[in-house]
Amino acid sequence: MAGPVDLKDIFFVEADELLSALEEGLRAIQTGAQEADTVNAVFRAVHSIKGGAGAFDLKALVGFAHRFETVLDALRAGQLQPEAALLGALLHASDHLADMISASRQGTNTDPELDERVIMALEAQAGGGGHKEEEAFVFEPLALDGPFGMEFSPMPLVSGRRSVMLTFRPHAGSFASGHDPALLMRDFCAEDEVEVDLDLSALPEAGNFDPGQSYLGWTVAMQTERSDKDLLAIFEFIEGSCDLTLVSDTSMAPAPSRDPPPPGGRSPATAPPPVAAPSVPASPKPPAVAPAAAVPPPPAGAASAAGPRPTIRVDIDRVDRLVDILGELVIHQAMLTEAIEQSPGFGSVEVDRSLDQLRQLSRQIQESVMAIRAQPVKPLFDRMHRIVREASMAAGKSARLVTEGEGTEVDKTIIERLADPLTHMIRNSVDHGLEKPARRDEIGKPNEGVIKLAAAHRSGRIVITVQDDGAGIDRDKVRLIAIEKGLISATAELSPQEIDALLFLPGFSTATEVSALSGRGVGMDVVRSEIAGLGGRVGIASVRGQGTTLTISLPLTLAVLDGMVFEAAGQTLVLPVSTIIETLRPEASMRHNLGQTDSVLDVRGRCLPLIDVGMALGFRRSLKPGEGEIVVVVERGDEGAIALMVDGIRDQRQVVIKGLEANYGQIPGIAAATVLGDGSVALILDPTDLAATGPIPARPVVSLAAE
Amino acid sequence: MRASGFATDPDIRELVAFRTAGQDFCIDILSVREIRGWSRPALLPHAPTYVQGVINLRGAVVPILDLARRLGLEPIEDTDRNVIIVAAIQNRTVGLLVEAVTDILTVPASGVQPTPDLASETTRNMLRGVVVQDSRLIRLLDVAQLLPQADDVAA
């Protein structure tokens, strides 16, 4: 049994999921895309949060959720119409609920006055009255016709007790999800006198007994004051994995089963619908037996729900541990290969084949483990809806977020570290990208701005774009500001791309008025460095009057990469294969000096900056004959290619990425480190950064003992 | 028995003593993870001179500091007899390259004297105090000060 702390963690994890279901449902209602079950799903989400919060005695949360739920209940009962104002209040309440939950997670509370204000605002929208009194009940068999058994009209609240009869038969599947019939029955019977009849008819011979099956059913007759609704609520969570009927005596109409009736099999219990409906209380008792046939699982709401695939929750630390061990495995596999290649046995077909198979297997394990870490970006994208809502409200603009490719999977670590930069980019788009509504009217754009957030896989990387349909970048203004702030000289001639790139410079802000959201000048440069920290790049493109597109390109994983192992200045280094365009051994005639120290390499008519890796890293001051004779041309994204001089190329292989930050710190030009087959460490170059830092004065190299 | 007796006594400290650049130093045994032989580090670009590079310690990449140079003394002579003291300092793991580990000292808290005023500013910042034992002066290092400081690394 997990300790209470673990359970609480689980509650918070589930609460997050419920919150996103809640928000998604509300959005669906807002856009009119709701299905029959949407309102119910929204209600259930809040209800489950309330239940969980109650278990951990989070009183403020329970109180808030309860009143929230009351409004939603009215909505689902059709007493309220989902108008824009009400939905706004509902969304606001759901945002606040998220805040309360995250406060509870940190062991604090939100301001009770604020709680009250938010919920009051919601209740005011809902028409001032919390829940209305249960209305007088008119028996309408039609109530049974809903495709889902969720809506059961309240039974008449006759003063005093009434008899009810329950039949309950859990399915085998309910045990697998942890339901204990004993607890449910205890709750059901708690307050009242009962007569229980155990149905053993399905119990097989001892020899055929399968402990995984469900053989028991119960029939409970009871006198109670509780309403059918309360009684059925006890079984709410086992819904769908049991046969359940509740029949009460006052009208003796069978309460609808919680399960959808079996197709065509509903009529026996209800008999022909009484034509002269209202006055039938004295009609003969219908058989108090449920439509007993095994009830199939609820038909999928629409095409969408084919039933959730079974999943397990795993502590991320365990997966990380697996990744670590895997890294060791890859290293030792490389060591083994190296040792075998040097041994006399090398060359035999069997050894070769086994090594090959080992290599393939370890690559497969790697891919599988990476797949475990991969998560869809949907939860991240879902969070951005709120950002757009709040940012547009604060900026006095109207904006809508459209997402695309939410199913795209990325390493969990990347998703986590993407939240902040993405939030900032979205805020920026709302704040700086979109025009004010009045201005949009003037130029004939729809009042509501659209921010499009999309994710896609592209050639081994993930590409995320944030696109707005706003004014685009005012390049003249950007240029003026950059001159004003001394970022560029007044005479500098810049291409449009270069001007756009100015936005990423530290200390740049175009908003003439600084807003609370963004525009404090700590924006895009921070975004860029955070993305760079993930091994990614940010690009910007803009069309005047049509909008701006920010593009983030990221590696799929932070754990392994295909690397080219090479030598420079006596050091073994690694370049990511994905960045390499070609390798060549240039003729002297291809090389041209430029100024005193710089030189370029003419590769088929394309002049590329030529940089010696050893010198750029400060490992040597000059080249001896035989050094730097091989050139690797690498891609640097938007900044074009460069030619790197190296001494020799050794190998191409998968390398495990080991961060330097943990024990040392970030180094410009170095993405990370790795461990090679011989157990030594090699640094992984970041070509983008390498060129950006330019040649660096050589440091006095610590001379190491010559072996 | 003896070890556990000392471990629970807050007044008794166990220190790992070592030599480098002709001087004796020690650090608290609790920050020492292991002691291992020298292996060739991979150079780090843009690193302060006392950072020799990084080595692989069972899959973790660990920077190696030349302790003598870190303290402003003559750089360590390169021989493969040197040893690396792997220490955990503020959630980081670093290797301190020294000439030799000499002793494990057990001293009462009163045995650690404050650093004499004579010491230069740099030295004094790195020391927590001194221990005199058998007519040897052993300098107790403040390990947290040994880490490359932020401005050193950025270079």
PDB file of all heavy atoms in Angstrom, chain A residues 577-600:
ATOM      1  N   VAL A 577      26.212  14.238 -36.447  1.00  0.00           N
ATOM      2  CA  VAL A 577      26.152  13.917 -37.876  1.00  0.00           C
ATOM      3  C   VAL A 577      25.077  14.747 -38.570  1.00  0.00           C
ATOM      4  O   VAL A 577      25.222  15.149 -39.724  1.00  0.00           O
ATOM      5  CB  VAL A 577      25.874  12.407 -38.064  1.00  0.00           C
ATOM      6  CG1 VAL A 577      25.508  12.106 -39.502  1.00  0.00           C
ATOM      7  CG2 VAL A 577      27.096  11.604 -37.656  1.00  0.00           C
ATOM      8  N   SER A 578      24.002  15.051 -37.826  1.00  0.00           N
ATOM      9  CA  SER A 578      22.895  15.789 -38.448  1.00  0.00           C
ATOM     10  C   SER A 578      23.332  17.157 -38.966  1.00  0.00           C
ATOM     11  O   SER A 578      22.675  17.726 -39.825  1.00  0.00           O
ATOM     12  CB  SER A 578      21.756  15.957 -37.446  1.00  0.00           C
ATOM     13  OG  SER A 578      22.222  16.627 -36.304  1.00  0.00           O
ATOM     14  N   THR A 579      24.432  17.703 -38.445  1.00  0.00           N
ATOM     15  CA  THR A 579      24.850  19.030 -38.887  1.00  0.00           C
ATOM     16  C   THR A 579      25.816  18.973 -40.068  1.00  0.00           C
ATOM     17  O   THR A 579      26.097  19.996 -40.678  1.00  0.00           O
ATOM     18  CB  THR A 579      25.557  19.801 -37.747  1.00  0.00           C
ATOM     19  OG1 THR A 579      26.761  19.111 -37.407  1.00  0.00           O
ATOM     20  CG2 THR A 579      24.686  19.908 -36.518  1.00  0.00           C
ATOM     21  N   ILE A 580      26.347  17.763 -40.339  1.00  0.00           N
ATOM     22  CA  ILE A 580      27.421  17.679 -41.333  1.00  0.00           C
ATOM     23  C   ILE A 580      26.856  17.624 -42.750  1.00  0.00           C
ATOM     24  O   ILE A 580      25.960  16.836 -43.043  1.00  0.00           O
ATOM     25  CB  ILE A 580      28.298  16.437 -41.075  1.00  0.00           C
ATOM     26  CG1 ILE A 580      28.958  16.587 -39.704  1.00  0.00           C
ATOM     27  CG2 ILE A 580      29.353  16.269 -42.171  1.00  0.00           C
ATOM     28  CD1 ILE A 580      29.748  15.393 -39.264  1.00  0.00           C
ATOM     29  N   ILE A 581      27.384  18.478 -43.631  1.00  0.00           N
ATOM     30  CA  ILE A 581      26.972  18.452 -45.031  1.00  0.00           C
ATOM     31  C   ILE A 581      27.918  17.569 -45.835  1.00  0.00           C
ATOM     32  O   ILE A 581      27.506  16.714 -46.597  1.00  0.00           O
ATOM     33  CB  ILE A 581      26.952  19.874 -45.621  1.00  0.00           C
ATOM     34  CG1 ILE A 581      25.992  20.751 -44.820  1.00  0.00           C
ATOM     35  CG2 ILE A 581      26.549  19.834 -47.087  1.00  0.00           C
ATOM     36  CD1 ILE A 581      26.066  22.208 -45.191  1.00  0.00           C
ATOM     37  N   GLU A 582      29.223  17.803 -45.687  1.00  0.00           N
ATOM     38  CA  GLU A 582      30.186  16.968 -46.404  1.00  0.00           C
ATOM     39  C   GLU A 582      31.547  17.059 -45.719  1.00  0.00           C
ATOM     40  O   GLU A 582      31.797  17.954 -44.915  1.00  0.00           O
ATOM     41  CB  GLU A 582      30.300  17.411 -47.871  1.00  0.00           C
ATOM     42  CG  GLU A 582      30.807  18.834 -48.034  1.00  0.00           C
ATOM     43  CD  GLU A 582      30.999  19.207 -49.502  1.00  0.00           C
ATOM     44  OE1 GLU A 582      31.423  18.332 -50.265  1.00  0.00           O
ATOM     45  OE2 GLU A 582      30.734  20.363 -49.859  1.00  0.00           O
ATOM     46  N   THR A 583      32.410  16.107 -46.056  1.00  0.00           N
ATOM     47  CA  THR A 583      33.796  16.204 -45.617  1.00  0.00           C
ATOM     48  C   THR A 583      34.658  16.168 -46.865  1.00  0.00           C
ATOM     49  O   THR A 583      34.327  15.506 -47.844  1.00  0.00           O
ATOM     50  CB  THR A 583      34.185  15.021 -44.712  1.00  0.00           C
ATOM     51  OG1 THR A 583      33.961  13.819 -45.425  1.00  0.00           O
ATOM     52  CG2 THR A 583      33.385  15.008 -43.447  1.00  0.00           C
ATOM     53  N   LEU A 584      35.752  16.898 -46.841  1.00  0.00           N
ATOM     54  CA  LEU A 584      36.617  16.915 -48.017  1.00  0.00           C
ATOM     55  C   LEU A 584      38.054  17.207 -47.605  1.00  0.00           C
ATOM     56  O   LEU A 584      38.333  17.654 -46.487  1.00  0.00           O
ATOM     57  CB  LEU A 584      36.132  17.934 -49.059  1.00  0.00           C
ATOM     58  CG  LEU A 584      36.089  19.406 -48.663  1.00  0.00           C
ATOM     59  CD1 LEU A 584      36.234  20.258 -49.903  1.00  0.00           C
ATOM     60  CD2 LEU A 584      34.778  19.730 -47.971  1.00  0.00           C
ATOM     61  N   ARG A 585      38.966  16.918 -48.517  1.00  0.00           N
ATOM     62  CA  ARG A 585      40.384  17.223 -48.328  1.00  0.00           C
ATOM     63  C   ARG A 585      40.716  18.307 -49.358  1.00  0.00           C
ATOM     64  O   ARG A 585      40.937  18.015 -50.518  1.00  0.00           O
ATOM     65  CB  ARG A 585      41.210  15.958 -48.568  1.00  0.00           C
ATOM     66  CG  ARG A 585      42.641  16.055 -48.151  1.00  0.00           C
ATOM     67  CD  ARG A 585      43.347  14.760 -48.441  1.00  0.00           C
ATOM     68  NE  ARG A 585      43.118  13.744 -47.420  1.00  0.00           N
ATOM     69  CZ  ARG A 585      43.849  13.631 -46.320  1.00  0.00           C
ATOM     70  NH1 ARG A 585      44.841  14.459 -46.097  1.00  0.00           N
ATOM     71  NH2 ARG A 585      43.598  12.691 -45.447  1.00  0.00           N
ATOM     72  N   PRO A 586      40.661  19.581 -48.928  1.00  0.00           N
ATOM     73  CA  PRO A 586      40.726  20.657 -49.915  1.00  0.00           C
ATOM     74  C   PRO A 586      42.122  20.827 -50.517  1.00  0.00           C
ATOM     75  O   PRO A 586      43.135  20.561 -49.878  1.00  0.00           O
ATOM     76  CB  PRO A 586      40.338  21.890 -49.107  1.00  0.00           C
ATOM     77  CG  PRO A 586      40.666  21.543 -47.706  1.00  0.00           C
ATOM     78  CD  PRO A 586      40.579  20.071 -47.561  1.00  0.00           C
ATOM     79  N   GLU A 587      42.151  21.264 -51.773  1.00  0.00           N
ATOM     80  CA  GLU A 587      43.398  21.667 -52.429  1.00  0.00           C
ATOM     81  C   GLU A 587      43.793  23.028 -51.862  1.00  0.00           C
ATOM     82  O   GLU A 587      42.937  23.794 -51.418  1.00  0.00           O
ATOM     83  CB  GLU A 587      43.166  21.818 -53.941  1.00  0.00           C
ATOM     84  CG  GLU A 587      42.574  20.621 -54.639  1.00  0.00           C
ATOM     85  CD  GLU A 587      43.600  19.507 -54.790  1.00  0.00           C
ATOM     86  OE1 GLU A 587      44.788  19.830 -55.012  1.00  0.00           O
ATOM     87  OE2 GLU A 587      43.225  18.329 -54.671  1.00  0.00           O
ATOM     88  N   ALA A 588      45.087  23.311 -51.919  1.00  0.00           N
ATOM     89  CA  ALA A 588      45.558  24.598 -51.416  1.00  0.00           C
ATOM     90  C   ALA A 588      44.900  25.753 -52.173  1.00  0.00           C
ATOM     91  O   ALA A 588      44.649  26.817 -51.604  1.00  0.00           O
ATOM     92  CB  ALA A 588      47.078  24.684 -51.557  1.00  0.00           C
ATOM     93  N   SER A 589      44.561  25.494 -53.443  1.00  0.00           N
ATOM     94  CA  SER A 589      44.007  26.577 -54.261  1.00  0.00           C
ATOM     95  C   SER A 589      42.592  26.965 -53.837  1.00  0.00           C
ATOM     96  O   SER A 589      42.102  28.033 -54.195  1.00  0.00           O
ATOM     97  CB  SER A 589      43.986  26.140 -55.734  1.00  0.00           C
ATOM     98  OG  SER A 589      43.161  25.004 -55.859  1.00  0.00           O
ATOM     99  N   MET A 590      41.942  26.086 -53.077  1.00  0.00           N
ATOM    100  CA  MET A 590      40.572  26.404 -52.665  1.00  0.00           C
ATOM    101  C   MET A 590      40.554  27.383 -51.498  1.00  0.00           C
ATOM    102  O   MET A 590      39.518  27.928 -51.146  1.00  0.00           O
ATOM    103  CB  MET A 590      39.843  25.118 -52.245  1.00  0.00           C
ATOM    104  CG  MET A 590      39.525  24.190 -53.419  1.00  0.00           C
ATOM    105  SD  MET A 590      39.102  22.540 -52.842  1.00  0.00           S
ATOM    106  CE  MET A 590      37.520  22.812 -52.092  1.00  0.00           C
ATOM    107  N   ARG A 591      41.704  27.562 -50.883  1.00  0.00           N
ATOM    108  CA  ARG A 591      41.743  28.339 -49.664  1.00  0.00           C
ATOM    109  C   ARG A 591      42.210  29.765 -49.954  1.00  0.00           C
ATOM    110  O   ARG A 591      43.186  29.965 -50.672  1.00  0.00           O
ATOM    111  CB  ARG A 591      42.720  27.663 -48.711  1.00  0.00           C
ATOM    112  CG  ARG A 591      42.572  28.125 -47.303  1.00  0.00           C
ATOM    113  CD  ARG A 591      43.592  27.452 -46.437  1.00  0.00           C
ATOM    114  NE  ARG A 591      43.891  28.388 -45.378  1.00  0.00           N
ATOM    115  CZ  ARG A 591      44.365  28.040 -44.217  1.00  0.00           C
ATOM    116  NH1 ARG A 591      44.688  26.801 -43.991  1.00  0.00           N
ATOM    117  NH2 ARG A 591      44.571  28.940 -43.303  1.00  0.00           N
ATOM    118  N   HIS A 592      41.515  30.733 -49.450  1.00  0.00           N
ATOM    119  CA  HIS A 592      41.895  32.123 -49.687  1.00  0.00           C
ATOM    120  C   HIS A 592      41.955  32.848 -48.357  1.00  0.00           C
ATOM    121  O   HIS A 592      41.058  32.696 -47.529  1.00  0.00           O
ATOM    122  CB  HIS A 592      40.859  32.818 -50.583  1.00  0.00           C
ATOM    123  CG  HIS A 592      40.609  32.077 -51.857  1.00  0.00           C
ATOM    124  ND1 HIS A 592      41.474  32.118 -52.926  1.00  0.00           N
ATOM    125  CD2 HIS A 592      39.589  31.250 -52.212  1.00  0.00           C
ATOM    126  CE1 HIS A 592      40.984  31.352 -53.886  1.00  0.00           C
ATOM    127  NE2 HIS A 592      39.860  30.806 -53.471  1.00  0.00           N
ATOM    128  N   ASN A 593      43.021  33.625 -48.203  1.00  0.00           N
ATOM    129  CA  ASN A 593      43.124  34.400 -46.976  1.00  0.00           C
ATOM    130  C   ASN A 593      42.292  35.663 -47.099  1.00  0.00           C
ATOM    131  O   ASN A 593      42.159  36.232 -48.173  1.00  0.00           O
ATOM    132  CB  ASN A 593      44.583  34.776 -46.699  1.00  0.00           C
ATOM    133  CG  ASN A 593      45.352  33.558 -46.212  1.00  0.00           C
ATOM    134  OD1 ASN A 593      44.744  32.593 -45.743  1.00  0.00           O
ATOM    135  ND2 ASN A 593      46.663  33.595 -46.364  1.00  0.00           N
ATOM    136  N   LEU A 594      41.788  36.071 -45.982  1.00  0.00           N
ATOM    137  CA  LEU A 594      40.953  37.265 -45.938  1.00  0.00           C
ATOM    138  C   LEU A 594      41.465  38.069 -44.760  1.00  0.00           C
ATOM    139  O   LEU A 594      41.337  37.644 -43.626  1.00  0.00           O
ATOM    140  CB  LEU A 594      39.491  36.843 -45.711  1.00  0.00           C
ATOM    141  CG  LEU A 594      38.412  37.588 -46.457  1.00  0.00           C
ATOM    142  CD1 LEU A 594      38.504  37.322 -47.936  1.00  0.00           C
ATOM    143  CD2 LEU A 594      37.052  37.147 -45.947  1.00  0.00           C
ATOM    144  N   GLY A 595      42.067  39.189 -45.049  1.00  0.00           N
ATOM    145  CA  GLY A 595      42.643  39.936 -43.956  1.00  0.00           C
ATOM    146  C   GLY A 595      43.832  39.199 -43.392  1.00  0.00           C
ATOM    147  O   GLY A 595      44.418  38.318 -44.038  1.00  0.00           O
ATOM    148  N   GLN A 596      44.176  39.504 -42.163  1.00  0.00           N
ATOM    149  CA  GLN A 596      45.411  38.983 -41.608  1.00  0.00           C
ATOM    150  C   GLN A 596      45.284  37.523 -41.166  1.00  0.00           C
ATOM    151  O   GLN A 596      46.152  36.700 -41.435  1.00  0.00           O
ATOM    152  CB  GLN A 596      45.818  39.854 -40.424  1.00  0.00           C
ATOM    153  CG  GLN A 596      47.287  39.735 -40.099  1.00  0.00           C
ATOM    154  CD  GLN A 596      47.644  40.564 -38.881  1.00  0.00           C
ATOM    155  OE1 GLN A 596      46.787  41.230 -38.281  1.00  0.00           O
ATOM    156  NE2 GLN A 596      48.904  40.543 -38.505  1.00  0.00           N
ATOM    157  N   THR A 597      44.186  37.213 -40.497  1.00  0.00           N
ATOM    158  CA  THR A 597      44.100  35.880 -39.925  1.00  0.00           C
ATOM    159  C   THR A 597      42.980  35.047 -40.517  1.00  0.00           C
ATOM    160  O   THR A 597      43.058  33.826 -40.518  1.00  0.00           O
ATOM    161  CB  THR A 597      43.850  35.974 -38.408  1.00  0.00           C
ATOM    162  OG1 THR A 597      42.724  36.836 -38.216  1.00  0.00           O
ATOM    163  CG2 THR A 597      45.051  36.542 -37.688  1.00  0.00           C
ATOM    164  N   ASP A 598      41.941  35.706 -40.996  1.00  0.00           N
ATOM    165  CA  ASP A 598      40.769  34.944 -41.436  1.00  0.00           C
ATOM    166  C   ASP A 598      41.002  34.342 -42.809  1.00  0.00           C
ATOM    167  O   ASP A 598      41.727  34.878 -43.628  1.00  0.00           O
ATOM    168  CB  ASP A 598      39.541  35.844 -41.492  1.00  0.00           C
ATOM    169  CG  ASP A 598      39.214  36.386 -40.121  1.00  0.00           C
ATOM    170  OD1 ASP A 598      39.660  35.759 -39.140  1.00  0.00           O
ATOM    171  OD2 ASP A 598      38.555  37.423 -40.021  1.00  0.00           O
ATOM    172  N   SER A 599      40.350  33.228 -43.043  1.00  0.00           N
ATOM    173  CA  SER A 599      40.406  32.679 -44.387  1.00  0.00           C
ATOM    174  C   SER A 599      39.069  32.032 -44.732  1.00  0.00           C
ATOM    175  O   SER A 599      38.269  31.716 -43.850  1.00  0.00           O
ATOM    176  CB  SER A 599      41.547  31.670 -44.513  1.00  0.00           C
ATOM    177  OG  SER A 599      41.527  30.781 -43.436  1.00  0.00           O
ATOM    178  N   VAL A 600      38.854  31.899 -46.033  1.00  0.00           N
ATOM    179  CA  VAL A 600      37.615  31.264 -46.482  1.00  0.00           C
ATOM    180  C   VAL A 600      37.976  30.099 -47.388  1.00  0.00           C
ATOM    181  O   VAL A 600      39.068  30.028 -47.932  1.00  0.00           O
ATOM    182  CB  VAL A 600      36.705  32.250 -47.249  1.00  0.00           C
ATOM    183  CG1 VAL A 600      36.202  33.329 -46.333  1.00  0.00           C
ATOM    184  CG2 VAL A 600      37.428  32.832 -48.444  1.00  0.00           C
TER     185      VAL A 600
END
